[in-house]
Amino acid sequence: MRPPTRLLHASDLHLHWQQCDPALDCLRGLRDAAARLGAQAVLIAGDVFDTADQPADFVEAVAKEVELFPQPMVLIPGNYDIRYSADESDALGVLAELLPGRHRVLADGEGESALLLDGALHIWGRGMPEHSPHNDPLRGVVSVEDTARWSVAIAHGELTRSRRGMRSSPIVLDDHAQALRSVHYLALGHHDDSHIERFGTTVVCYSGSASSVLGSREFAVVDLVDPGGDTVEIHRLGPPT
Ligand SMILES: [Mn+2]
């Protein structure tokens, strides 16, 4: 039996230098919530920034706020984080360089994993090489079938039943049914409003947007509990103090 584990999952922060105070307040609000609610790790499921182009001093201010999270944090890019042209750097890439080792940005186009909480939590995510119907955010998803580890995947895109709609970055759970069987929690980002469903035993959740500028201020608190007692609850950030 794995020890019960609590995660805070947020997404779609849409941090923008022109809204610096609300951006930093959003991170402080999540940090306070993580402490108050006893979260052991924090997941940010993409659209961290509102555009890839942010001035260096703003990214540094964001890095300072993220550094103050004592819990390990795992972030992935969303469609607002990526560059649509040449090989220039992007704000999330710059942030990744500034963060201490316990925080990880999973941006590899082939997907990559992070092991947190002394190996008790396996998190898989991949970068977003393009935001198009060809980009499958769960391509190559890795889960661990290990009774000593929780298996979590994180993805940014559009939950959809079929590829026929040709939405960009479609997430078709049936295409990954095999791998998802041993994933306890699928942390999603892209939608401003929260949404929870189950796929087999996997809890699938859009946390909603934590942004007070563009979003619903929502975030999710996930409890991983053996055997099969995983739950998720939506919370809302209070107004900044
Ligand atoms: Mn998005």
Side-chain angles (χ1 to χ4, degrees):
M1 296 265 279
R2 291 157 278 235
T5 298
R6 176 168 277 194
L7 312 176
L8 188 151
H9 158 207
S11 75
D12 299 81
L13 311 187
H14 290 281
L15 308 177
H16 195 291
W17 67 277
Q18 286 175 320
Q19 298 277 354
C20 184
D21 288 343
L24 301 183
D25 278 341
C26 176
L27 291 166
R28 290 176 193 130
L30 291 173
R31 198 169 67 231
D32 289 348
R36 180 167 41 84
L37 296 164
Q40 292 158 268
V42 176
L43 316 176
I44 309 286
D47 288 351
V48 179
F49 290 99
D50 197 48
T51 70
D53 214 357
Q54 303 288 338
D57 58 347
F58 177 64
V59 180
E60 282 163 23
V62 167
K64 286 209 175 85
E65 291 298 335
V66 173
E67 265 181 54
L68 292 172
F69 279 75
Q71 306 87 351
M73 183 188 290
V74 173
L75 309 93
I76 61 164
N79 51 302
Y80 281 82
D81 291 303
I82 63 173
R83 286 274 181 205
Y84 288 84
S85 57
D87 244 349
E88 298 164 80
S89 69
D90 56 87
L92 188 58
V94 174
L95 179 67
E97 302 280 312
L98 296 172
L99 294 180
R102 69 177 179 284
H103 300 323
R104 290 276 307 275
V105 177
L106 304 181
D108 191 303
E110 298 303 311
E112 51 184 321
S113 295
L115 264 185
L116 309 183
L117 308 183
D118 296 323
L121 177 61
H122 176 275
I123 301 181
W124 177 92
R126 68 179 275 263
M128 186 177 271
E130 58 177 331
H131 182 51
S132 77
H134 305 293
N135 179 52
D136 173 358
L138 288 179
R139 195 183 74 217
V141 57
V142 173
S143 57
V144 291
E145 214 160 336
D146 180 339
T147 53
R149 285 183 179 153
W150 297 110
S151 185
V152 167
I154 177 167
H156 190 95
E158 183 76 36
L159 199 56
T160 175
R161 299 280 167 221
S162 91
R163 295 187 175 280
R164 273 174 302 181
M166 291 297 277
R167 293 169 187 272
S168 290
S169 300
I171 297 172
V172 183
L173 300 178
D174 282 325
D175 287 359
H176 302 284
Q178 184 69 25
L180 290 174
R181 269 179 26 186
S182 43
V183 171
H184 298 94
Y185 185 71
L186 176 56
L188 297 180
H190 196 43
H191 285 304
D192 288 349
D193 294 317
S194 59
H195 171 77
I196 300 167
E197 62 181 69
R198 276 180 197 262
F199 182 73
T201 57
T202 308
V203 178
V204 177
C205 174
Y206 281 103
S207 61
S209 167
S211 168
S212 64
V213 180
L214 299 167
S216 54
R217 297 172 180 255
E218 289 175 301
F219 64 95
V221 177
V222 188
D223 282 306
L224 302 174
V225 180
D226 262 338
D230 308 329
T231 56
V232 60
E233 201 172 74
I234 301 299
H235 293 239
R236 203 175 288 266
L237 291 173
T241 49

